[in-house]
Amino acid sequence: MAMAIRRGIGWLLAVATAVYVGFCSFAIAYEKRSPARALAVGMPHSGTAEASLAYNAFSARRAGDPNAVVNPDEVRLAKSAYRQEPLSIPALGLIADSMPNGKEGTERQALFELAGKLNRRNTLVNTELVKAAALRGDDRAFFAWLSRVMLVGKEAKTTYGAAMAEATARNGAVEALIPIIGERPGWADYYWGLVVRRPASLANAAQLRLAVAGAPWLQQEIMPTDKTLLLNLVRDGHMDAAYKLAEGLGLGRSTKANLLYNGDFAISPELAPFDWQLSSQGNLGASVDPREKILAISAIGGARGSAARQLLKLAPGRYDLNWKVAADSAIDPGSLVVRIDCAERGKDGAILPPVPVAAGEGKAVAVIPDDACQWYWFSLAVVIPDDVIGLDANVLHLSLTPSTDASRNM
């Protein structure tokens, strides 16, 4: 009999233990995804569920009203959760958000910063830290927190990347961003893809890119976004800033005399428009073959436009233009020409008469007048009549040099 009683008690304890473990497992399983169900079983140590219930309720209200504040019930749940789970980030965030803001908000700010150090994945904490840094004008903290948040994942990177790209236009942003971008964080390529398409941020983006290309960061590999940045800077009139950046990324000179970069076509163009900007239209195309050292131009009847061009800073004076062109047949007069046009918007720099380019070796003189224009497009352009089959030519050499004939100088 005694043995049966002991056996029965053992079974009862086993069942009770199993039930307890089951309730605990249920509570743990649902304490984040369905905290109300977890709390319904009445298990002790329910801090995580309480914090999740309060945080989810507040998040839902703030989604509908950005100015929503933590209500007393949410504060009560958060404080209860914090007593059980002192490292609960949702609880810390809610408690901090319920504290006074402004000049009296030092404890609030300190608690948010503590929560941010413990975990960088909480949206409320991250948002408040970014907002606080922005409001007090602390660029270094603002960009540092944005950087930390963007490392969390794709959603955070998407949300905060645009904010960082927009904020790059601010005074002081370059100095604050240099040590962050210099470390080349995992979101850097995404950031560059955003910032190069924001006109207000272009000038600062150029300074930032130039800074991290130098010591100690030495980020000198030319990226697709560098090419976009150069073209957009020029498009918006930042010629000097664009040229300085191109030099910082490795732009040099083919020879000291030739003002055209890569006039011998020995390298593939990467830093347009200070190297060759090539056409890729359906009826007009150009390409550089560095092994053959040629610029190949192909156009069909009716094609008009620049086959290859680059941006030059030219002082007033006379310049010698020289070329060497190979073609299977004679080039119709006027089908291939050199144009030198002012590149600055709003300035009436003289447009020089087009210089016809014929097959073989040739030369001409270009005169840059004394006017307000400093930057010019040097273009090798085609003008093919509709009734002409087309044009195929290889340019072997192209140069523009200050005239050596003193009697002709202006």
Side-chain angles (χ1 to χ4, degrees), residues 129-148 163-164 167-168 170 176 180:
L129 287 169
V130 170
K131 283 167 54 179
L135 288 173
R136 66 177 184 268
D138 187 344
D139 286 335
R140 292 188 181 276
F142 174 76
F143 287 116
W145 280 115
L146 278 181
S147 174
R148 285 191 59 185
M164 180 173 282
T168 303
R170 291 163 47 170
I180 296 173

Side-chain angles (χ1 to χ4, degrees), residues 152-225:
V152 169
K154 182 177 180 180
E155 182 178 349
K157 183 174 68 174
T158 302
T159 301
Y160 290 96
M164 180 173 282
E166 293 287 349
T168 303
R170 291 163 47 170
N171 292 333
V174 175
E175 292 75 14
L177 278 168
I178 287 172
I180 296 173
I181 301 296
E183 295 291 345
R184 202 157 194 174
W187 47 262
D189 290 344
Y190 180 76
Y191 161 78
W192 284 118
L194 293 174
V195 76
V196 299
R197 290 174 172 81
R198 281 166 167 73
S201 297
L202 288 177
N204 279 358
Q207 292 183 43
L208 177 61
R209 183 65 185 93
L210 184 62
V212 298
W217 315 110
L218 299 178
Q219 295 181 21
Q220 296 177 342
E221 178 185 356
I222 298 173
M223 304 179 294
T225 49

Side-chain angles (χ1 to χ4, degrees), residues 111 279 348:
L111 195 55
S279 174
D348 297 325

Side-chain angles (χ1 to χ4, degrees), residues 14 32 69 138 144 157 166 264 392:
K32 289 187 177 180
V69 297
D138 187 344
K157 183 174 68 174
E166 293 287 349
D264 56 359
D392 287 293

Side-chain angles (χ1 to χ4, degrees), residues 277-294:
Q277 185 176 0
L278 305 173
S279 174
S280 58
Q281 303 174 33
N283 60 355
L284 171 61
S287 62
V288 169
D289 184 341
R291 288 189 294 182
E292 297 294 331
K293 294 187 176 182
I294 59 170

